[in-house]
Amino acid sequence: MANGYKKTMNLPKTGFPMRASLAQNEPKRLAQWDEDRLYEQLLKKNEGHEKFVLHDGPPYANGPIHLGHAQNKISKDIINRYWAMRGYQTPYVPGWDCHGQPIEHKVEETLGTEKFNQLPTVKIRELCRKMAVEQVDTQRQGFKRLGVLGEWDNPYLTYVHDYDATDIEIFKAIFDRGAIYRGRKPVHWCSHCHTALAEAEIEYGDEVSPAIFVRFEMTTVPAGLEAYEGRLWVDIWTTTPWTLPADDAVILHPEASYVAVVVDGRAEIMAEALVEKACAKFGYESCGLARRADGEVWRMTGEELCHNKYRQPIFGDQGVEGEFIYADYVTLEDGTGVVHSAPGHGVDDYNAGMRFGIPVVMPVDDDGNFYKGDGMGTGGPWSGMNVNDANPKIIEWLAARGTLILHEDITHSYPHCWRCKQPVIFRATNQWFVSMDKTGLRTDALRELEKVKFYPAHSRNRITSMVEGRPDWCISRQRNWGVPIPAYTCQDCGETVMNDATLDKVIGLFRERGSDAWFTEDPASYLGAACVCPKCGGHSLKANTDILDVWWDSGVSHTAVCKHRGYLKFPADMYLEGSDQHRGWFMSALMTSVGAYGTAPYKSIVSQGFTLDGQGRKMSKSLGNVIDPNKECDTRGADVLRLWVSSVDTSTDVPCDDAILNHVGDAYRKIRNTFRFLLGEIEDQFDPATQGMPVAELTAYDRITLAHMCEVHDAVARAYEGYRFNAVFRTLYDYVTELSNGYLNATKDRVYCGATNSPERRSAQTTWAHILSMLVHDLQPILVYTTDEAMPHLPASMRDGQERAALLDWYEAPMTAAEYGPLLKAHKALAEARGAFTKAYEEAASQGVIPEKTSQAASAALTMPPDALAELAATGIDLAEPLVCSSVTVEAADELSATVTHAEGERCPRCWNWRELGEDGLCGRCHDALGEASRQASRQG
Ligand SMILES: [Zn+2]
Ligand SMILES: [Zn+2]
Ligand SMILES: [Zn+2]
């Protein structure tokens, strides 16, 4: 509008800069928040109100923060800020998981394994603690920079004395109920890390394994096969040849039918359903089925074959036998329908073996090597050999003895250690367990889960099926950096000693001196009268060295944090973490809480997907696709990262790369420009408190627009409350886009060119102020820095009496649903009319009908369905303004249509609208505006 009338117009003017310079400005703002103690102010503002406690899941104190961390903490902050605006008091205590293998692993790497192994436990623990403290500090800086408000000065750390003591308090509560036991059971064992691993510490990945079919020689003869005595075999299949030295049973399906294939004079038992497939595979060309004396094909079910015996495949020459048993899990899809079983090397085998009294044989040591010796329980021919090295040797040995039927390599999903990424083995060791069923923990947990709300709803199934299927929880680890399992061994009789008296003493010891004392103090010095073996009466107890699974540590935060910090709540209102925590923290918290109290520790769970790159791949240094949140804060700014979190569907895996962040950056600028555009006519120019108009007095267009805004605002609130941030983002982003193309573009003429104090201009400013207020409030939980930056530019009456955006209350819409609802049809009709007009205008412009190439030079004739027309007519709206054209006529018709012609009249030199111009050469509106301006000027003069 470069014309001479410029100074007579209300052109935009604001101190809110167009360029955000977030990377430079955010850290200054953050420092100011720190100085003002903004988090404390926020708690104070909602003091005495109902609380909303989102209990932070502790990230592992290891390495700088990554994008997944950023997503997690930003999500939590968005939720807390939303509920704080809603008036809830939202204490948020961040925490860190400080014990456990990754830190110990790092210390071991730094020192070298040899030196590490020579250090006393207490020294190793000291180094681990030092490392944890450093890591916590690094991560804390990263999290704060993201704009996350919380009790950063006083976070919870799982190595402090009270936390150590709480670990044992919960242990005692569950122990007293009778759910904790010591047992020899196969567990995932990492021979590289020397420890048992929990299900949550296992990663599955493809592995090539040898699959072999082996025939075992029968030593008993099932009824009807007497004719084959001495040449009777049973065929099995396994992918772990190294478990054959521990074989002492074969498992059949109880109801399946088994037959004996006659080949080369031998009879080999296998499932009837697999005969064809197996024989083809084995190259058994001319074979038949064994028949009974009466000529019928011999058949028996797995159950009928139970208790038959065979020569143990490795140690059979020494007279060792294995037994036929059965279990439902044997499938008839592959193999022979007969599974070799080593109960020490598999949970299913173990459970099946238990039912039939099959002994647990364990010939493999901590390093994954066979014990030396000749008999069962040792590696026999492979004494001292690593199980992986033994695999091919065992296959050769079987082949030489003529019992190997077939060897092939298969690729299958195999468990690996989460730390060292090495394949793990199943191995029976003495461990501590929490029983899922002895005291009804499983059923109690399932009952409690029913009371929990899940976002997204379907994630309930995930944890539920995990609880249904999970084995007993192995809670012991053979490491240094953790809280000890408080058990002693009697030095006189070997009894394991643990009871209420010793547990109480340990709790006291840990609370006072921390769990380090376990490794330095003589038990007699603190146990007092409790230092006695209940079995032999001896007083010489030695502290055992197993530590608790680190998931136990984080699990009991419901007590160490939510209960022990009186200003929090138990159960917490919400736990929010990545979906892998269904088997991690959500699970260990549930088990320890239900185990100790009979209730779940959370009322709701939000589970989120993982961050991937733009092509759906994991981020990794080797792929070069890592998005580093610290770096993003230093370049694009935290608000862009926060906006990204709000833009993705966190209920599933979320993509991120440079291109995606560029798009988010564009969206950010669009929102920022909208703030700036609106502030341009409000900052120091309009105060809704004194100059605003009631809704009923607004122009029809403004009222319709406001009705839609209220609808958007309600949709945003619903999306926040369902923790669907992407719906918040989508709704607001679409709204902002729609505003800049539609309403704001159309009404800027009225605001810039209308008489300063005219009701029409005040009506528009009132509406702009509502929109600005709504956007700043609704975006506050997400764009924490930018909305805070906008605050001083807002009139005081739009700031809820606050200086900081975080302290705003939730925006109160000017119309209730009952008030705005009836206007939404008019809004819809208006949007459709605008669409039809735009299309017709573009056609007309391209055909040269409007040489000025501006819709202001156009007039429109619309037809629209009578319903829509009636809705619009009822509001009294003149469509020329929303369509940004000279004049509009509307008629009812079946179809919506628009015809565009050149406007009558001339272009007003001040506002560039096409109107009938007056004697001063201006349109009537501009004439009035100038009149008002000159009257004011003369009054001031
Ligand atoms: Zn490992
Ligand atoms: Zn004893
Ligand atoms: Zn004009």
Side-chain angles (χ1 to χ4, degrees):
M1 273 173 238
N3 62 35
Y5 292 102
K6 217 171 158 180
K7 56 183 177 301
T8 70
M9 297 193 279
N10 291 294
L11 293 181
K13 198 168 69 209
T14 172
F16 186 77
M18 179 141 79
R19 275 184 63 87
S21 307
L22 294 177
Q24 289 75 44
N25 293 333
E26 286 175 347
K28 293 179 211 157
R29 192 164 295 279
L30 181 60
Q32 201 66 51
W33 292 349
D34 256 355
E35 207 179 304
D36 297 353
R37 305 205 66 77
L38 179 58
Y39 168 71
E40 286 77 6
Q41 282 192 51
L42 182 59
L43 291 190
K44 187 125 190 66
K45 190 195 91 167
N46 292 323
E47 182 94 63
H49 296 186
E50 201 181 322
K51 282 181 181 171
F52 177 84
V53 174
L54 197 171
H55 176 45
D56 190 36
Y60 199 76
N62 187 18
I65 66 168
H66 55 65
L67 193 62
H69 286 133
Q71 177 194 330
N72 177 283
K73 285 291 193 284
I74 289 171
S75 298
K76 290 170 179 170
D77 192 53
I78 290 174
I79 292 170
N80 277 329
R81 284 175 182 259
Y82 173 74
W83 288 118
M85 289 183 96
R86 286 294 200 171
Y88 287 81
Q89 199 187 31
T90 50
Y92 174 63
V93 180
W96 276 274
D97 205 355
C98 301
H99 284 135
Q101 210 172 308
I103 287 180
E104 193 171 340
H105 198 79
K106 249 191 177 165
V107 169
E108 183 176 344
E109 270 177 1
T110 317
L111 292 176
T113 301
E114 203 177 327
K115 198 169 170 206
F116 178 88
N117 287 338
Q118 285 163 3
L119 284 183
T121 301
V122 166
K123 184 70 193 165
I124 291 175
R125 289 168 59 91
E126 189 189 312
L127 293 171
C128 289
R129 183 176 302 108
K130 202 168 146 249
M131 180 165 289
V133 170
E134 285 165 14
Q135 304 285 344
V136 165
D137 265 346
T138 311
Q139 294 195 355
R140 171 168 31 208
Q141 293 316 316
F143 289 146
K144 284 180 76 172
R145 176 66 184 84
L146 296 169
V148 178
L149 294 179
E151 203 173 328
W152 294 109
D153 301 344
N154 184 25
Y156 76 89
L157 304 169
T158 57
Y159 65 75
V160 302
H161 296 355
D162 179 67
Y163 210 110
D164 285 351
T166 307
D167 278 315
I168 308 306
E169 271 174 358
I170 300 294
F171 184 94
K172 180 175 177 243
I174 301 175
F175 177 78
D176 281 351
R177 286 176 152 215
I180 290 178
Y181 69 97
R182 186 162 165 81
R184 188 173 164 89
K185 222 179 148 176
V187 290
H188 284 296
W189 180 267
C190 178
S191 43
H192 184 256
C193 299
H194 270 242
T195 186
L197 295 169
E199 192 56 38
E201 294 167 329
I202 294 297
E203 292 173 356
Y204 286 86
D206 281 350
E207 189 77 23
V208 177
S209 300
I212 56 170
F213 290 86
V214 184
R215 64 177 77 90
F216 293 175
E217 190 179 354
M218 301 277 295
T219 53
T220 55
V221 182
L225 288 177
E226 289 80 4
Y228 296 92
E229 185 166 1
R231 45 199 183 101
L232 196 54
W233 302 73
V234 58
D235 294 351
I236 64 96
W237 181 76
T238 179
T239 57
T240 49
W242 62 268
T243 61
L244 288 175
D247 170 280
D248 52 7
V250 292
I251 311 179
L252 290 73
H253 192 281
E255 282 120 50
S257 163
Y258 289 83
V259 293
V261 173
V262 181
V263 59
D264 295 340
R266 293 185 307 268
E268 300 183 5
I269 293 175
M270 63 179 82
E272 185 170 13
L274 286 159
V275 166
E276 208 173 315
K277 209 166 159 184
C279 288
K281 200 168 185 138
F282 300 167
Y284 288 178
E285 275 156 19
S286 53
C287 58
L289 296 182
R291 292 177 182 273
R292 300 188 313 219
D294 61 6
E296 288 294 309
V297 170
W298 176 85
R299 283 190 181 85
M300 264 193 182
T301 65
E303 192 171 354
E304 288 165 341
L305 281 166
C306 191
H307 303 308
N308 272 289
K309 297 266 173 73
Y310 60 91
R311 236 182 259 285
Q312 209 280 347
I314 310 298
F315 301 103
D317 294 350
Q318 303 172 18
V320 183
E321 288 183 319
E323 188 173 338
F324 279 53
I325 61 174
Y326 57 81
D328 284 333
Y329 70 82
V330 174
T331 74
L332 299 176
E333 278 159 30
D334 256 317
T336 59
V338 185
V339 180
H340 128 75
S341 164
H345 289 308
V347 173
D348 288 338
D349 289 9
Y350 171 84
N351 288 332
M354 275 293 153
R355 280 198 297 278
F356 293 95
I358 305 295
V360 176
V361 178
M362 181 37 55
V364 178
D365 71 10
D366 287 2
D367 293 323
N369 299 332
F370 282 116
Y371 291 120
K372 290 180 184 154
D374 302 323
M376 189 77 172
T378 74
W382 307 283
S383 285
M385 198 178 282
N386 185 272
V387 296
N388 291 315
D389 301 335
N391 256 344
K393 306 268 184 227
I394 292 173
I395 297 168
E396 274 171 37
W397 188 87
L398 293 168
R401 291 177 65 101
T403 53
L404 180 75
I405 303 171
L406 183 76
H407 166 208
E408 57 190 356
D409 284 331
I410 60 157
T411 304
H412 61 160
S413 169
Y414 193 86
H416 293 72
C417 170
W418 70 327
R419 277 318 300 167
C420 68
K421 312 293 176 193
Q422 302 287 326
V424 301
I425 58 175
F426 260 113
R427 181 169 172 270
T429 51
N430 283 323
Q431 301 289 346
W432 290 93
F433 293 90
V434 174
S435 166
M436 290 301 297
D437 300 304
K438 264 189 200 167
T439 60
L441 180 54
R442 190 190 312 274
T443 42
D444 289 353
L446 288 170
R447 180 199 66 226
E448 287 305 300
L449 280 178
E450 280 174 27
K451 303 174 191 163
V452 177
K453 266 194 167 169
F454 284 85
Y455 304 92
H458 63 77
S459 69
R460 171 193 302 283
N461 304 339
R462 191 149 171 202
I463 190 165
T464 302
S465 66
M466 281 175 185
V467 171
E468 282 166 351
R470 70 170 288 161
D472 287 354
W473 179 11
C474 173
I475 54 170
S476 45
R477 296 289 181 278
Q478 290 67 48
R479 303 297 297 180
N480 299 292
W481 181 226
V483 175
I485 291 188
Y488 303 89
T489 304
C490 171
Q491 297 299 89
D492 298 321
C493 74
E495 175 81 350
T496 300
V497 178
M498 178 158 62
N499 49 56
D500 276 3
T502 62
L503 288 169
D504 283 337
K505 290 291 182 188
V506 172
I507 291 165
L509 177 75
F510 285 7
R511 184 149 283 136
E512 198 186 316
R513 303 189 37 207
S515 58
D516 277 350
W518 179 264
F519 301 93
T520 55
E521 298 309 299
D522 178 0
S525 72
Y526 59 85
L527 285 178
C531 191
V532 58
C533 169
K535 192 172 164 202
C536 74
H539 295 282
S540 173
L541 301 185
K542 187 170 169 249
N544 292 356
T545 57
D546 281 3
I547 59 164
L548 279 164
D549 177 7
V550 71
W551 291 104
W552 183 283
D553 284 29
S554 55
V556 305
S557 65
H558 49 68
T559 300
V561 184
C562 295
K563 278 195 175 212
H564 288 185
R565 298 200 185 200
Y567 52 92
L568 300 177
K569 257 164 79 177
F570 176 92
D573 291 295
M574 179 173 287
Y575 278 32
L576 177 155
E577 300 300 329
S579 54
D580 55 333
Q581 301 303 330
H582 284 296
R583 63 171 189 166
W585 190 53
F586 297 155
M587 183 65 77
S588 67
L590 180 71
M591 290 306 152
T592 49
S593 180
V594 173
Y597 310 118
T599 55
Y602 33 67
K603 292 186 194 154
S604 66
I605 280 184
V606 178
S607 79
Q608 299 196 327
F610 291 99
T611 49
L612 303 173
D613 77 1
Q615 293 159 50
R617 299 173 304 179
K618 261 190 167 174
M619 290 190 185
S620 74
K621 272 194 190 131
S622 57
L623 285 175
N625 59 355
V626 176
I627 297 287
D628 169 11
N630 289 321
K631 202 185 114 218
E632 294 307 322
C633 285
D634 291 344
T635 51
R636 299 178 203 269
D639 264 6
V640 172
L641 213 48
R642 293 182 67 107
L643 194 60
W644 167 74
V645 170
S646 79
S647 73
V648 289
D649 177 3
T650 51
S651 72
T652 170
D653 288 348
V654 296
C656 190
D657 60 19
D658 265 325
I660 290 170
L661 289 175
N662 284 341
H663 280 299
V664 175
D666 292 343
Y668 172 82
R669 276 182 290 281
K670 180 141 219 159
I671 293 167
R672 185 178 180 90
N673 284 339
T674 305
F675 281 4
R676 187 163 185 273
F677 187 91
L678 291 162
L679 281 168
E681 297 294 328
I682 292 171
E683 183 178 6
D684 297 330
Q685 296 154 75
F686 178 76
D687 184 357
T690 55
Q691 295 164 306
M693 291 166 60
V695 173
E697 290 170 28
L698 299 178
T699 70
Y701 188 24
D702 294 342
R703 246 184 307 122
I704 293 171
T705 299
L706 215 47
H708 174 52
M709 184 205 79
C710 294
E711 182 193 23
V712 168
H713 177 61
D714 280 352
V716 168
R718 279 195 306 276
Y720 272 123
E721 280 165 31
Y723 309 104
R724 293 174 292 114
F725 310 138
N726 62 326
V728 174
F729 171 84
R730 183 44 60 193
T731 306
L732 288 172
Y733 178 73
D734 287 350
Y735 182 58
V736 162
T737 308
E738 179 192 326
L739 278 176
S740 70
N741 297 336
Y743 176 77
L744 294 182
N745 179 50
T747 50
K748 68 175 192 258
D749 167 67
R750 186 160 24 124
V751 177
Y752 295 169
C753 304
T756 306
N757 296 312
S758 64
E760 291 80 11
R761 181 165 182 270
R762 290 302 187 213
S763 171
Q765 279 177 307
T766 302
T767 310
W768 285 30
H770 278 302
I771 291 171
L772 176 59
S773 199
M774 178 278 228
L775 288 176
V776 168
H777 282 76
D778 285 14
L779 285 162
Q780 189 281 133
I782 298 168
L783 298 179
V784 298
Y785 288 104
T786 305
T787 53
D788 200 59
E789 184 188 351
M791 281 292 273
H793 301 280
L794 295 174
S797 63
M798 287 168 66
R799 296 201 301 252
D800 308 338
Q802 303 292 352
E803 290 184 3
R804 292 287 173 211
L807 304 177
L808 290 172
D809 297 323
W810 189 240
Y811 175 69
E812 211 171 301
M815 299 160 93
T816 64
E819 286 164 346
Y820 72 69
L823 283 168
L824 296 178
K825 279 186 190 151
H827 178 264
K828 184 162 174 271
L830 183 55
E832 284 166 0
R834 200 166 74 85
F837 168 77
T838 305
K839 202 165 150 239
Y841 163 73
E842 276 162 8
E843 240 161 66
S846 71
Q847 287 161 10
V849 178
I850 319 286
E852 293 84 358
K853 303 268 180 211
T854 159
S855 65
Q856 285 160 305
S859 280
L862 301 184
T863 66
M864 56 173 72
D867 288 1
L869 180 56
E871 293 292 344
L872 281 177
T875 66
I877 190 171
D878 175 2
L879 290 176
E881 185 183 34
L883 304 191
V884 197
C885 67
S886 177
S887 66
V888 178
T889 59
V890 201
E891 274 176 30
D894 289 347
E895 300 272 322
L896 175 67
S897 76
T899 316
V900 168
T901 53
H902 197 283
E904 311 263 305
E906 288 168 90
R907 193 181 79 168
C908 169
R910 182 169 178 270
C911 67
W912 293 14
N913 285 316
W914 284 68
R915 300 280 189 269
E916 295 300 329
L917 302 185
E919 283 172 14
D920 56 359
L922 295 175
C923 73
R925 192 269 315 267
C926 286
H927 172 86
D928 292 348
L930 281 187
E932 187 203 60
S934 66
R935 275 194 306 280
Q936 268 176 355
S938 67
R939 265 205 303 277
Q940 280 158 10

